[in-house]
Amino acid sequence: FYLWLLAPFYALKLYCHDCGCIRISTLCTAKTVLGFLLASFGFVEFFYILLERSHEIQNHMVFLLSPIIRSLTVVLAICIIQLERIRGCRSSIFLFLFWVLAVVCSLVPLRAKIQLVMYEGITTDIVRYTAFFSYFSLQLAQLFLCCFADQPPEGKTNPCPVKDASFLSKMLFWWFTGLVVKGYRTPLEAGDLWNLREEDTSDKIISDLEEEWTTECAKLQQQEKTMAAGVALGTRLPDQAQILRKLQKEQSSGFCLLRTLARNFGPYFLTGTMCIIFHDFFMFAIPQVLSLLLGFMNEEDAPLWKGYFYATLMFLLSCLQSLFNHQYMYTCFTVGMRVKTAVMGLVYRKSLVINSASRRTCTVGEIVNLVSADTQKLMDFVVYFNAVWLAPIEIALCLFFLWQHLGPSALAGIATVILIFPLNGFIAKKRSKLQEVQMKFMDGRIKLMNEILNGIKILKFYAWEKAFLEQVLGYREKELKALKKSQILYSISIASFNSSTFLIAFAMFGVYVLIDDKNVLDAQKVFVSMALINILKTPLSQLPFAMSTTMQAIVSLKRLGKYLCSEELKDDNVAKAPLSTDGEGVLIDNGTFSWTKEGPPCLKRINVCVPQGSLVAVVGHVGSGKSSLLSAMLGETEKRSGSVSIKGSVAYVPQQAWIQNATVQDNVMFGREKQKTWYQRVLDACALLPDLEILPAGDSTEIGEKGLNLSGGQKQRVSLARAVYRKADVYLLDDPLSAVDAHVGQHIFDKVIGPKGVLRDKTRVLVTHGMSFLPQADLILVLVDGEITESGSYQELLSRHGAFADFIHTFASNDRKESVTETAAQRGRTSLGDTNSTNLQGMEPMSEIDEEQVPEDLGKLMEVDKAHTGRVRLEMYMEYFKTIGMAFIIPIVFLYAFQQGASLAYNYWLSLWADEPIVNGTQVDTDMKLAVYGALGFAQGIAIFGTTVAISVGGIIASRHLHMDLLKNVLHSPMSFFETTPSGNLLNRFAKEIDAIDCMIPDGLKMMLGYLFKLMEVCIIVMLATPFAAVVILPLAILYAFVQSFYVATSCQLRRLESVSRSPIYTHFNETVQGASVIRAFGEQHRFIVQANKRIDFNQTSYFPRFVATRWLAVNLEFVGNGVVLAAAILSVMGKDTLSPGIVGLAVSHSLQVTGILSWIVRSWTDVENNIVSVERVKEYADTAKEAVWTVEGSSLPLAWPQTGTIEFQDYGLQYRKGLDWALKGITLKIQEREKVGIVGRTGAGKSSLALGIFRILEAAKGEIYIDGVNIAEIGLHDLRSRITIIPQDPVLFSGSLRMNLDPFNTYTDEEIWSSLELAHLKNFVSNLPDKLNYECSEGGENLSLGQRQLVCLARALLRKTKILVLDEATAAVDLETDTLIQSTIRQQFEDCTVLTIAHRLNTIMDYTRVIVMDKGHISEMDSPTNLISNRGQFYRMCREARLV
């Protein structure tokens, strides 16, 4: 009947879903052959009856028809098998159910036949018996075959086995066993994991989602426009209304996102919801069966088969309940995983198109947080969402059944529930507030850490680590304070929850017994009620959790919606046209531009016409809007009026080079094919060949994050080479020559940008401070305060005698030496390279290696985040508990034992009460019994509160210590550590891992200990009732331990692989957000999106098996647990005569909890194991090399040291690492007080190494440095670094007030700060700012121009005013005028100090007392500039190149 009814629908479904034809396999053949055999039995029987029993047929037509119908049904089944094969369905749930039903229906005749045979003997009708038994065996065989899946249609390599799994294997997750066994034998590697299923990949998910989201967004913006139009023009809304509108906007964007996600993932999610409904059905059936079983125990003369039947039925229902529950969880996690992929993809794509105004409102840290924290919240939401509506229904059903047993007393239970609920609701609300506070401080801490890691070099140079350490710890303390409050509230919540069973039972039984003497508690009432109350606990515990998860998800949805709906760059900012041979390359017509919609314009009345193939130079002071002009051409700014058009493709070189963490070659080619000769030509033109000779693996050397192991000049040239390699039509060059030396700059200008360069036929817009290049420009634009004041060729502008002419005359003296003549050709012979050594010259991989290095990882720099293998070591647990302290741990264990003892006592007390004999329809001493019961229960509640608080406080103590150690270890690490460790890894430690230690480990421990003790209690109770159960429980325990050990090994590996593959996603995100403008200018968005997809998919490949592992374990364990139920029930039936119903009820109702307890133990156990990995990862940096101590205790260093400022090097040598070449060798040199020394030399000569040596960023490999006669190796690092000053090459600012950036320790007065700003020529600028000294600098100081940042660094130096000043290429990003100002300031203010300048433009050191010429790590010449020039040595040659002689 089942088959005939549903076959048409099933055939239709198969018709709609074609998965490709499957070749005929042995399995398919076997099924078909068995099918025909079964069918033939029916026909044979039909003829047998016709021939043998023809005389009986008239009365019993049904005997004749039934075999025919059976046979036809089997034939239909065979047809379905073939149809499934043709449509590619490999395992059929439909036929599986058919064969199950067939076998079940045959069981009744089977029993009858067996009884007949035993009664009459087999000989009476041997044919019929043989036929029936064969038929039954064949049915069983068919059922068995149905458990396997057919082979797949031809497919890809290493597919996910769930595709090939049979229906049964999918239900029981057996398809996963292969990976578990593999993980148990050897630790899993990334290569062992399966590929993602097609429907889980980023491509598939996001392509569907993106279109929908775009339309949703468009609708939203339309609504906003109508709203904005609706507000009467010219009126300003009052503040409250504005805030309301902003909130509405955030909410609607969040709901939009939810709608879009629901449309895409809803249908699959609904199949899961069906499973949970089935699960509920089975769950409520179990107490009813228990009631029947206890009823059977009470009946004296009930037949035994009934008892066995009930026992088996309970077992079956329990098993089905488990199966459906885990199918549901599996569906939820799959949907969760897809949501994560979808949201990550959307956020990533958004970060490529978001405009600068919106970009300024959210830092990189916040965007990364959207991807990590908020997507996690959405995934939790998917898992717990159904509980929001299902839990109230479950609660109502429980109360309905309780009413049936106990009548109106059930209302007392409802009252208790109603009391517990608001309490928990209130607590949840308070906690979510506290969580927001905690998240705020955590965001602040992570943002600060991000900046510390980005600016670590500056922190070390200035000895500022302590100030920032204090700041981070300040955030941390506030964060932990909120966490502690939250955890104490949570403990109240947990205590009220765990005692809820008792409280409800106490209220109900109490009221029931007290309202009427005739009300008697017998075993049936007590234990069925207890089973129902235990069911009631699940929805009760889930509901608040589901509510808070939903609340958090709504907050996250709003945050995501707000970001995803933020303003994008408009495509019509710039009109793109195809390249034509004549006309304008770039045209701006009467343009006014600003960075934000509301803000002041940064460029006004701009008219620019750049003819095709011409070179336009843009000049102006610092902050006059030169970079903004290029941004306007790229369409990065808000266009207020006018039009911009560009013909052809664009290449862009930003002012601060953006370098990817990839090889040099990848950075230059930037996604294009390699054309060997062109590539070589580009490298040669950009003067990169000499640098590549120095790098350990040439152009396959990996560059660190943000180009850590390249000097400023090298970064800039790589950035330029990337643009040149492009062969674009229009080049926008934002001061690419600032970070390189004069002669290298000249070379690049000649070979690349100038009239004879590689780009001579292209349209070039060059922002520059170098006067020497101006005569060769076809057009010069002079910018003043965002307006073009003059434009024309060099000669025209000079003849006008305007501002430009004065400017030129002022600097003619400087530039006489750098002017360009046609003798460039003779200079081509000398070797090139900017005169700044890379800060890790000759970087090899950082791991200690033998001399015969394998060439492949020669250029590797970044230490990839490694996954530890194997189980978590015991030491980690010891380490964690040691941090908490033994004094804490002993009371915790004692409290747990006490709490479980109380629980056992009150349950046993109940069973005694239930067995109390009934005298005259009543029981005696009910009041006393109730009182004892109540006392025991309340004792347990108090103990629960105690344990949870204790564990939380212990966890906070531990996490405070661990974070403190991590922070100190990281800040005490030497520079080389930061150059080889990606900042993503470190941030991951501070965010994800510390978060796990804060919350996950204590929560996991609470659960694990709670359930372990609970399990002990259950086992004791079952054994008390039926001591024989020990025989069953022991093997089950062994099996359990066996399964668990398999699982934990695999699960830990998967968790590690997953967290390792997570770091690259964030690193890539970080890089993209910072380089978005470059990526857009080159039009490489698609390639980056593909890369992001790859990284997300790679992460999901390890996430998918991770959650399936939990399901695999839970299903298999719950069968073990259900074994305990079966044992308890069957043994109770066997001992029916000796056992009292009370004890049976106690044992069976407790054994019903075993399945839940087992899966929770393992789940919390693995949670703890998985999260204890965080302790391991945080501890990892305790063993890395550290730099020397910051301050030496009791050192006799005078406060005013250094007083004179003499520096003496004695046979000083420096290596970047043991086994590498010497960066400096045998330097002996004495610098007198007040001496001004210039240090020059080619790239890699060791100039910066000298500075690094003086500051002990690198420790001496041999020899000493004395400052004022004190050996600097013997004093603390901070004592040394705080008494000397450097103006570094990269100007780094931290987000915070301008004042904090100048003086983080608050040691100077405002007057001193203002005077230093005045000397640094920043006073006018700062006094015009709205908040003056309290002006907030954004992340990395991005709201100041590069030149202004450089001046802030100068102000820092002026403020410290130490006796020794080191200048490292400090003039790179500044126009000539500012440069002259800086130089004269340094000359006047540091008159009586020793100044060391790592020279960049030789004219700045011509009047110094001495010049040191470095070459390959030693001093080749040293004398006063005039003597060196007359000696005609290396310095003379350099001066001649720079046209200074």
Short mmCIF file of all heavy atoms in Angstrom, two decimals, residues 691 694 714 833-838 841 1222-1223 1241-1247 1249 1414-1417:
data_model
loop_
_atom_site.label_atom_id
_atom_site.label_comp_id
_atom_site.label_asym_id
_atom_site.label_seq_id
_atom_site.Cartn_x
_atom_site.Cartn_y
_atom_site.Cartn_z
N ASP A 691 69.14 45.17 -5.85
CA ASP A 691 68.51 44.74 -4.59
C ASP A 691 68.24 43.25 -4.61
O ASP A 691 68.36 42.58 -3.59
CB ASP A 691 67.18 45.47 -4.40
CG ASP A 691 67.37 46.96 -4.34
OD1 ASP A 691 67.96 47.42 -3.36
OD2 ASP A 691 66.98 47.66 -5.29
N ILE A 694 70.93 41.06 -3.47
CA ILE A 694 71.15 40.98 -2.02
C ILE A 694 70.15 40.04 -1.37
O ILE A 694 70.46 39.33 -0.44
CB ILE A 694 70.97 42.38 -1.38
CG1 ILE A 694 71.98 43.34 -1.99
CG2 ILE A 694 71.14 42.33 0.12
CD1 ILE A 694 71.66 44.77 -1.69
N GLN A 714 63.09 50.44 -1.36
CA GLN A 714 62.81 49.22 -2.12
C GLN A 714 61.31 49.00 -2.28
O GLN A 714 60.84 48.63 -3.35
CB GLN A 714 63.43 48.01 -1.40
CG GLN A 714 64.95 48.00 -1.50
CD GLN A 714 65.55 47.02 -0.54
OE1 GLN A 714 65.06 46.81 0.56
NE2 GLN A 714 66.65 46.41 -0.94
N GLY A 833 71.15 51.67 -6.45
CA GLY A 833 70.57 51.17 -5.20
C GLY A 833 70.35 52.35 -4.30
O GLY A 833 71.14 53.28 -4.29
N ASP A 834 69.27 52.35 -3.56
CA ASP A 834 69.06 53.51 -2.71
C ASP A 834 69.96 53.35 -1.50
O ASP A 834 70.34 52.27 -1.12
CB ASP A 834 67.60 53.65 -2.29
CG ASP A 834 67.12 52.43 -1.56
OD1 ASP A 834 67.90 51.47 -1.56
OD2 ASP A 834 66.03 52.45 -1.02
N THR A 835 70.31 54.49 -0.88
CA THR A 835 71.34 54.37 0.14
C THR A 835 70.74 54.03 1.47
O THR A 835 71.07 54.63 2.46
CB THR A 835 72.04 55.71 0.29
OG1 THR A 835 71.01 56.62 0.65
CG2 THR A 835 72.65 56.15 -0.97
N ASN A 836 69.82 53.10 1.44
CA ASN A 836 69.30 52.74 2.75
C ASN A 836 69.29 51.24 2.79
O ASN A 836 68.72 50.61 1.96
CB ASN A 836 67.89 53.28 2.87
CG ASN A 836 67.13 52.50 3.90
OD1 ASN A 836 67.69 52.17 4.93
ND2 ASN A 836 65.91 52.19 3.61
N SER A 837 69.97 50.66 3.77
CA SER A 837 70.03 49.21 3.76
C SER A 837 68.69 48.67 4.16
O SER A 837 67.95 49.32 4.85
CB SER A 837 71.05 48.77 4.79
OG SER A 837 70.41 48.61 6.00
N THR A 838 68.40 47.46 3.74
CA THR A 838 67.13 46.91 4.18
C THR A 838 67.29 46.59 5.64
O THR A 838 68.38 46.32 6.09
CB THR A 838 66.80 45.62 3.44
OG1 THR A 838 67.50 44.60 4.11
CG2 THR A 838 67.23 45.65 2.02
N GLN A 841 69.03 42.83 6.30
CA GLN A 841 69.80 42.59 5.09
C GLN A 841 70.04 41.12 4.93
O GLN A 841 70.37 40.45 5.90
CB GLN A 841 71.15 43.29 5.25
CG GLN A 841 71.68 43.72 3.94
CD GLN A 841 70.65 44.55 3.24
OE1 GLN A 841 70.28 45.56 3.75
NE2 GLN A 841 70.20 44.13 2.11
N TRP A 1222 78.38 39.04 7.95
CA TRP A 1222 78.41 40.16 8.89
C TRP A 1222 77.78 41.38 8.22
O TRP A 1222 78.14 41.75 7.13
CB TRP A 1222 79.86 40.49 9.28
CG TRP A 1222 80.45 39.39 10.10
CD1 TRP A 1222 81.01 38.24 9.63
CD2 TRP A 1222 80.52 39.32 11.53
NE1 TRP A 1222 81.42 37.44 10.68
CE2 TRP A 1222 81.14 38.09 11.85
CE3 TRP A 1222 80.12 40.17 12.55
CZ2 TRP A 1222 81.36 37.70 13.18
CZ3 TRP A 1222 80.35 39.78 13.85
CH2 TRP A 1222 80.97 38.55 14.16
N ALA A 1223 76.85 42.00 8.93
CA ALA A 1223 76.26 43.23 8.39
C ALA A 1223 77.22 44.39 8.65
O ALA A 1223 77.32 45.33 7.86
CB ALA A 1223 74.92 43.51 9.05
N GLY A 1241 76.40 55.71 1.77
CA GLY A 1241 76.80 54.42 1.23
C GLY A 1241 75.67 53.84 0.42
O GLY A 1241 74.54 54.30 0.50
N ARG A 1242 76.04 52.81 -0.39
CA ARG A 1242 75.00 52.25 -1.23
C ARG A 1242 74.08 51.32 -0.42
O ARG A 1242 74.34 51.02 0.72
CB ARG A 1242 75.64 51.45 -2.37
CG ARG A 1242 76.65 52.25 -3.13
CD ARG A 1242 76.52 52.00 -4.61
NE ARG A 1242 77.40 52.91 -5.36
CZ ARG A 1242 77.05 54.13 -5.70
NH1 ARG A 1242 75.88 54.61 -5.36
NH2 ARG A 1242 77.88 54.89 -6.38
N THR A 1243 73.03 50.82 -1.11
CA THR A 1243 72.12 49.87 -0.46
C THR A 1243 72.91 48.70 0.11
O THR A 1243 73.77 48.15 -0.56
CB THR A 1243 71.15 49.29 -1.50
OG1 THR A 1243 70.40 50.36 -2.02
CG2 THR A 1243 70.21 48.30 -0.86
N GLY A 1244 72.58 48.34 1.35
CA GLY A 1244 73.22 47.16 1.93
C GLY A 1244 74.61 47.43 2.42
O GLY A 1244 75.34 46.50 2.76
N ALA A 1245 75.02 48.70 2.49
CA ALA A 1245 76.37 48.98 2.96
C ALA A 1245 76.42 48.91 4.48
O ALA A 1245 77.49 48.84 5.07
CB ALA A 1245 76.81 50.35 2.48
N GLY A 1246 75.25 48.95 5.12
CA GLY A 1246 75.25 48.83 6.58
C GLY A 1246 74.99 50.13 7.31
O GLY A 1246 75.35 50.27 8.47
N LYS A 1247 74.37 51.10 6.62
CA LYS A 1247 74.14 52.40 7.28
C LYS A 1247 73.10 52.25 8.39
O LYS A 1247 73.33 52.64 9.53
CB LYS A 1247 73.63 53.43 6.27
CG LYS A 1247 74.51 53.60 5.07
CD LYS A 1247 74.00 54.67 4.16
CE LYS A 1247 72.60 54.42 3.66
NZ LYS A 1247 72.47 53.25 2.79
N SER A 1249 72.18 49.59 9.78
CA SER A 1249 72.65 48.65 10.79
C SER A 1249 73.38 49.38 11.92
O SER A 1249 73.30 48.98 13.08
CB SER A 1249 73.59 47.62 10.17
OG SER A 1249 72.96 47.03 9.06
N MET A 1414 80.19 54.16 4.10
CA MET A 1414 80.15 52.72 4.41
C MET A 1414 80.18 51.92 3.12
O MET A 1414 79.62 52.34 2.12
CB MET A 1414 78.84 52.37 5.15
CG MET A 1414 78.60 53.10 6.44
SD MET A 1414 79.60 52.49 7.76
CE MET A 1414 79.08 50.81 7.86
N ASP A 1415 80.82 50.76 3.21
CA ASP A 1415 80.78 49.87 2.05
C ASP A 1415 80.86 48.43 2.53
O ASP A 1415 81.82 48.06 3.20
CB ASP A 1415 81.94 50.18 1.11
CG ASP A 1415 81.83 49.38 -0.18
OD1 ASP A 1415 80.68 49.11 -0.58
OD2 ASP A 1415 82.86 49.02 -0.74
N LYS A 1416 79.86 47.65 2.23
CA LYS A 1416 79.82 46.23 2.59
C LYS A 1416 80.15 46.00 4.07
O LYS A 1416 80.89 45.08 4.41
CB LYS A 1416 80.78 45.43 1.72
CG LYS A 1416 80.32 45.42 0.28
CD LYS A 1416 81.19 44.58 -0.58
CE LYS A 1416 80.73 44.68 -2.03
NZ LYS A 1416 81.81 44.46 -2.98
N GLY A 1417 79.60 46.85 4.93
CA GLY A 1417 79.72 46.58 6.35
C GLY A 1417 80.97 47.12 7.03
O GLY A 1417 81.16 46.93 8.22
#
